[in-house]
Amino acid sequence: MQATLTFLGTGTSMGVPTLGCDCEVCNSAVSPDGDRRNRRTRASLRLAYNDRTVLIDTGPDFHAQAVRERIRRVDAVLYTHPHADHILGFDDLRPLSFHNPGNLPLYADDNTASVIESVFEYTFNKANRYPTSARVDLHRIGADPGAHVELFGADFRRIPVTHGRTTITGYRFGAAAYLTDMSDIPAESLPLLEDLDILILDALRHEPHYSHSHLEKSIAYVERLKPRRAYFTHMGHTLDHAATEATLPPHIRLAYDGLQLDFEIATPSEQQP
């Protein structure tokens, strides 16, 4: 089953341009003659297949991203972790949820679900629910590696990854995997990332960082896992798109906001065991 993956955003929690910064990359992001690929909103993904739309994360730029990509419906949302740059666009799901015949299903690990319920208490507090809150059902995904949820004929498997001192959720869906905000991939997760067409990894900057993978480390993971193609996301303002990409081998590229990729999103029976 064919699917189209769209990078809604490819930036860090501070975005690019970063407020108050006058560096070359930030200026390029907003200059009329700059490189538009340096304009990076907060990281998030859209998957379109089987006449459905599934999102991974809804950051604070989701409204602008949805307008840009003309997203008129959402059928499900998967969350990676509860940091602000990945959940604060939740409230922008409201008008989209009103069009659904039932409640919009959301999926997250237990910690992420608990934070969403707390931050958006007015949506989930049945005793005092705001009347025009998003119409959603929040489902908890199991913590085990390979825990999965089936959505509209595709299987989404949880890939635990390390984000500093915490474990968060990456996802494999068919021949693609999305591992934003990872600093390391635990040994037990590596077998779940074999035989990929597309591997999407965090690559924050050139220098090492305590809670994010950096360029050299992400390249090493690509060489170890050997996907047919790899794309880096969650990039900061020290990575100029053209200059950085020129140093990479042909099968490794930098993602950019609006980039679309076609791939095979397998049915559950076609997934690896």
Side-chain angles (χ1 to χ4, degrees), residues 194-256:
E194 295 175 351
D195 194 28
L196 286 169
D197 177 15
I198 299 171
L199 174 61
I200 301 165
L201 289 174
D202 188 318
L204 181 73
R205 61 188 191 184
H206 291 286
E207 303 81 15
H209 189 276
Y210 78 98
S211 63
H212 292 271
S213 185
H214 62 288
L215 200 65
E216 185 178 356
K217 179 185 278 190
S218 294
I219 292 171
Y221 271 124
V222 172
E223 296 309 316
R224 179 173 182 175
L225 293 167
K226 299 185 179 353
R228 283 172 281 283
R229 42 187 173 155
Y231 292 85
F232 293 159
T233 191
H234 205 281
M235 296 170 290
H237 64 148
T238 61
L239 297 182
D240 176 78
H241 188 99
T244 305
E245 197 168 78
T247 68
L248 299 174
H251 65 293
I252 302 177
R253 302 286 87 185
L254 300 188
Y256 56 87

Side-chain angles (χ1 to χ4, degrees), residues 28-262:
S28 171
V30 295
S31 172
D33 56 353
D35 189 342
R36 70 175 184 86
R37 297 172 300 181
N38 282 330
R39 174 74 174 97
R40 299 172 183 137
T41 56
R42 269 61 74 96
S44 145
L45 211 65
R46 175 198 185 185
L47 301 167
Y49 66 96
N50 205 14
D51 294 323
R52 303 283 188 164
T53 291
V54 175
L55 305 178
I56 301 182
D57 291 335
T58 52
D61 298 313
F62 175 63
H63 181 276
Q65 293 165 345
V67 170
R68 185 192 74 214
E69 299 299 330
R70 299 186 179 184
I71 295 175
R72 301 183 62 85
R73 63 176 286 172
V74 173
D75 297 288
V77 185
L78 299 154
Y79 285 97
T80 60
H81 65 296
H83 288 174
D85 54 319
H86 295 265
I87 69 168
L88 285 189
F90 167 87
D91 211 52
D92 290 320
L93 293 171
R94 286 194 302 149
L96 297 172
S97 74
F98 299 159
H99 299 313
N100 283 27
N103 287 352
L104 175 65
L106 315 176
Y107 299 87
D109 60 37
D110 186 64
N111 178 52
T112 303
S114 295
V115 173
I116 291 172
E117 287 171 333
S118 176
V119 172
F120 301 99
E121 183 270 346
Y122 56 86
T123 297
F124 297 97
N125 185 340
K126 294 182 180 179
N128 192 30
R129 186 179 182 277
Y130 192 70
T132 57
S133 292
R135 298 171 185 169
V136 298
D137 287 325
L138 182 55
H139 305 276
R140 283 163 164 77
I141 298 174
D144 296 336
H148 63 96
V149 57
E150 183 183 347
L151 294 173
F152 319 116
D155 202 50
F156 290 80
R157 293 199 169 196
R158 181 177 188 265
I159 311 294
V161 294
T162 303
H163 183 27
R165 294 187 294 271
T166 63
T167 298
I168 66 170
T169 299
Y171 292 98
R172 176 171 181 158
F173 31 93
Y178 183 65
L179 310 178
T180 187
D181 286 52
M182 45 74 62
S183 51
D184 285 290
I185 305 174
E188 61 268 25
S189 293
L190 293 172
L192 302 173
L193 297 169
E194 295 175 351
D195 194 28
L196 286 169
D197 177 15
I198 299 171
L199 174 61
I200 301 165
L201 289 174
D202 188 318
L204 181 73
R205 61 188 191 184
H206 291 286
E207 303 81 15
H209 189 276
Y210 78 98
S211 63
H212 292 271
S213 185
H214 62 288
L215 200 65
E216 185 178 356
K217 179 185 278 190
S218 294
I219 292 171
Y221 271 124
V222 172
E223 296 309 316
R224 179 173 182 175
L225 293 167
K226 299 185 179 353
R228 283 172 281 283
R229 42 187 173 155
Y231 292 85
F232 293 159
T233 191
H234 205 281
M235 296 170 290
H237 64 148
T238 61
L239 297 182
D240 176 78
H241 188 99
T244 305
E245 197 168 78
T247 68
L248 299 174
H251 65 293
I252 302 177
R253 302 286 87 185
L254 300 188
Y256 56 87
D257 290 23
L259 172 65
Q260 293 189 340
L261 305 172
D262 293 328

